[in-house]
Structure formats: C-alpha cells, structure tokens
Amino acid sequence: MIKIRFICCKKNIPDVENFAETVKKGIFEIKGFEDEGDEVQWIINKITSLVSLKVHGDIEGEISYEKIAVLARNKYFFNQLEAQLVESNLPFYYKMTPGTIRFESDLMKTFDLGLRVRLNPQDILHKQRLFNRLKIEGNNNPDLKNITSLISDQSLKEVIILVLSLNDDGSNLKRSFENLKDNINIEDENEKSMIINDINEILKHWHNYASKTDNKSLHQFKNAMALGQTHPLAQHSGITLSTVHTMKGQEFDIVFIMGMDDETFPDYRAVRNGGIEMTQEKNNLYVAFTRAKRFLYVTYPKKRMMPWGDYKMRRLSRFLDVFKV
C-alpha cells in the first residue's frame, strides 16, 4: 500500500503581510487496494469518518457531505461506488453536463452520430462528423441506408446496421443492443470494456424512459435524454460525484480521485496515441488535483474486474510514479 502525507500550502488572504499565518495544513494521500471493491469500501469508510468528526482545524465550518467530491476519469468507475453509497444510505448526486449521454467508446460515439442522422437526415453537421468517423467521402451526400457498403471496419458497419434496424418506437432497442454486446469482436480489452459500459448506460436510460410512458419513440427518447429526464438522480445535495471534465471551475474542501491506475488515468487511448492526447491527460490530472482545497485522497485498484468476468491487473498511474516508495 502506498501512502503519502504532506503539508499543502494555500494562500487564503491575497493581500496579507504575514504570509506564514495564512498557511493551513492539508492532507494528500495515495492508496492502492487489491481490487475495486476494497477501493470503494475505503472511500465510503473515509467519508463516514470525516463527516463524523464534524470539525477539523484545517477546514472552515462543519464537515458535511456537501464539502466532499469524488472524481474519476470517466463515469463508469462510479458504478460500484454508487451501489455502496445507496447501501450505506449516504446522500450523493451526479454533477452532470446538460445534454444527451456522453459515450466513451468510439463504437458508441459512432452509434450516437448515426442515430442523430437517422432521426434528422437534414443534420448536415452530424452527418459530416459521422462520415469522417467512418472514413467515407461525403461529396455525394449519400443517405444513411446507402453507406454500409462503404464502411471498411466491420464493427462500425454493424453499429450502423443496428441504427437502421431500430423500430421507430424502440421496441427492439434492448434486444438489438444485447445482441451487439454478446457479439463484440474487439481484441483491445479496455475498448471492449468501454463499449459494454456504454451499452449498459444507454439501456439504463431506455429503461428509465420506457417505464414513464406508453407512447414510446426514438425521437422522444433522444429528447428525454437531452433534457436529463432519463437520469435517476435529480437531487443536488450530498456528496458530489463528477468526472474530471465536468468539475472544472469548482472546488471542494475534501476531494477523492478514484481509479488512478494506468490506462484508466491516463486513458488507455491517450497512452496508445501519445502526443497531444497525453498532454491533455496531464492537464486533466492538474484540474483534478486542484479541485481540492484541503484534503486530497487518490486511490487505485491493483486489479479490475472486466464486464465479462476476467480480472485485469493494474498499476499506479505513470503520472504518479514519482510518489512510489
């Protein structure tokens, strides 16, 4: 287990003559755990312990759930944490970016563009983005139903066929995605895992939408997602759960950054591509670290359970190698 504790300095009063008196103690810890379950349980226990203190010399006012945020590189790393928060009866909410689902995998980003174009064939902007992703020349402005023969990547071709095969009322949406999930033929385990998470996400939103209406349609489903009506957590109090991208510009007294294993943060695609993408990941980490006013806890699992049941061994993020002891 890696654990580092040091004093953080923060200037609270801009124009003070005696700077030493403006420095307060802070905490920074990095902790590794055997798996995601242990990581999540430690975070739950730590939050409970901190709130039970009520006061701490480093934090102004009473310690409350509203002063705590848990950040992750992407939303799917909150799945186990959300379940444990519910079981522990701790209040929380997701800080969400308004709009439809933000898919993480390349395959489901293609699906999203394809669905937009199917629902609005005159949407030239998203049609061009779709053609660029599919590496199709759009000079002749072909209809969506006529492009499958032009797609060289089999996985992308299958997802466009799925878009075209969906019934207008979405009655076959769940079955179509379950079939896609069962037949994913992608060697990269990280990408395969992300696709399955994306599929599970859209099925969750479909369930939330379909359970509230008897007059279902793909158009209405898309609109409901864009309005945030398909997300189950609407309250805005308690512990904040947020991706790093959504948290820019906001600070909390106590911040947890979970999932700091390599190829999770930095993201596996950035590791693979390098260059500007790795620079962006470093910037993302800087944003994450600077969300904490006083306490910063960084955690990671030494192995992750993949959606198909296998474990994948992990190591501490390469960005944090300097802290290894």
Side-chain angles (χ1 to χ4, degrees):
M1 178 178 293
I2 298 173
K3 180 177 179 179
I4 302 109
R5 179 185 177 105
F6 66 85
I7 302 301
C8 302
C9 296
K10 186 174 181 69
K11 187 174 181 181
N12 294 313
I13 307 172
D15 299 316
V16 67
E17 292 182 3
N18 188 350
F19 178 76
E21 293 182 1
T22 71
V23 177
K24 292 187 177 181
K25 292 182 178 180
I27 294 175
F28 172 45
E29 294 182 6
I30 300 178
K31 300 177 75 69
F33 299 91
E34 287 304 308
D35 57 30
E36 296 162 279
D38 288 346
E39 179 187 22
V40 164
Q41 192 58 59
W42 183 86
I43 292 173
I44 296 287
N45 292 342
K46 192 67 177 180
I47 289 174
T48 302
S49 174
L50 288 168
V51 172
S52 68
L53 285 176
K54 296 195 176 188
V55 293
H56 190 286
D58 293 343
I59 295 177
E60 183 178 351
E62 184 173 334
I63 299 175
S64 65
Y65 294 117
E66 284 70 26
K67 292 186 176 181
I68 301 173
V70 184
L71 311 185
R73 176 59 179 76
N74 77 60
K75 58 193 173 187
Y76 299 127
F77 300 117
F78 291 128
N79 289 342
Q80 284 197 40
L81 179 62
E82 178 182 338
Q84 285 298 314
L85 287 169
V86 171
E87 184 175 325
S88 302
N89 199 30
L90 298 182
F92 70 99
Y93 79 100
Y94 282 98
K95 181 175 172 59
M96 297 181 297
T97 301
T100 189
I101 301 175
R102 177 175 175 170
F103 292 112
E104 297 285 346
S105 66
D106 293 335
L107 189 72
M108 289 301 291
K109 288 177 182 177
T110 303
F111 164 80
D112 183 55
L113 289 171
L115 183 61
R116 289 174 183 268
V117 173
R118 173 183 160 170
L119 296 178
N120 182 11
Q122 303 308 313
D123 186 346
I124 304 302
L125 174 63
H126 289 103
K127 178 182 280 190
Q128 191 56 58
R129 288 178 180 175
L130 175 63
F131 288 171
N132 290 342
R133 182 172 286 276
L134 296 173
K135 296 181 172 57
I136 292 175
E137 293 292 335
N139 296 334
N140 297 324
N141 197 26
D143 291 334
L144 191 64
K145 62 183 179 181
N146 296 325
I147 68 171
T148 52
S149 62
L150 305 175
I151 304 172
S152 58
D153 185 290
Q154 185 60 33
S155 296
L156 296 180
K157 180 183 293 188
E158 289 173 0
V159 82
I160 295 301
I161 291 173
L162 184 151
V163 169
L164 293 168
S165 69
L166 290 176
N167 297 332
D168 290 336
D169 64 357
S171 55
N172 64 337
L173 183 144
K174 181 178 180 180
R175 183 175 68 253
S176 297
F177 273 114
E178 292 290 359
N179 289 338
L180 178 65
K181 187 164 62 172
D182 291 340
N183 294 287
I184 295 172
N185 186 23
I186 292 179
E187 293 184 3
D188 189 316
E189 290 187 342
N190 288 312
E191 183 68 12
K192 183 179 178 181
S193 175
M194 201 69 76
I195 292 169
I196 292 175
N197 282 325
D198 275 343
I199 291 174
N200 290 338
E201 176 82 351
I202 195 170
L203 290 178
K204 179 175 67 177
H205 281 260
W206 174 259
H207 173 78
N208 293 337
Y209 161 75
S211 63
K212 298 176 182 177
T213 180
D214 294 326
N215 186 25
K216 295 180 278 293
S217 77
L218 293 178
H219 270 287
Q220 291 180 2
F221 175 49
K222 191 75 172 174
N223 291 338
M225 285 193 294
L227 294 172
Q229 297 172 350
T230 59
H231 200 287
L233 295 171
Q235 73 271 18
H236 291 278
S237 61
I239 303 158
T240 299
L241 307 186
S242 174
T243 63
V244 175
H245 296 96
T246 310
M247 188 52 70
K248 291 180 180 179
Q250 193 167 357
E251 294 181 333
F252 289 81
D253 289 282
I254 302 165
V255 171
F256 295 81
I257 305 176
M258 64 183 299
M260 275 303 303
D261 46 302
D262 210 49
E263 296 191 351
T264 295
F265 205 159
D267 181 76
Y268 64 95
R269 287 160 292 198
V271 172
R272 182 175 61 209
N273 297 331
I276 187 64
E277 293 190 30
M278 283 295 283
T279 300
Q280 290 171 344
E281 288 295 279
K282 289 179 182 178
N283 291 338
N284 289 335
L285 184 59
Y286 173 79
V287 169
F289 268 48
T290 54
R291 296 314 88 197
K293 293 180 180 179
R294 287 290 173 265
F295 298 171
L296 176 61
Y297 301 98
V298 177
T299 64
Y300 73 101
K302 296 176 183 177
K303 61 182 179 181
R304 284 192 179 279
M305 174 73 78
M306 308 306 280
W308 50 91
D310 294 339
Y311 275 108
K312 186 176 179 66
M313 302 307 296
R314 314 299 281 185
R315 69 176 183 87
L316 178 64
S317 169
R318 66 190 63 197
F319 291 157
L320 303 180
D321 278 346
V322 66
F323 293 119
K324 285 185 178 179
V325 294

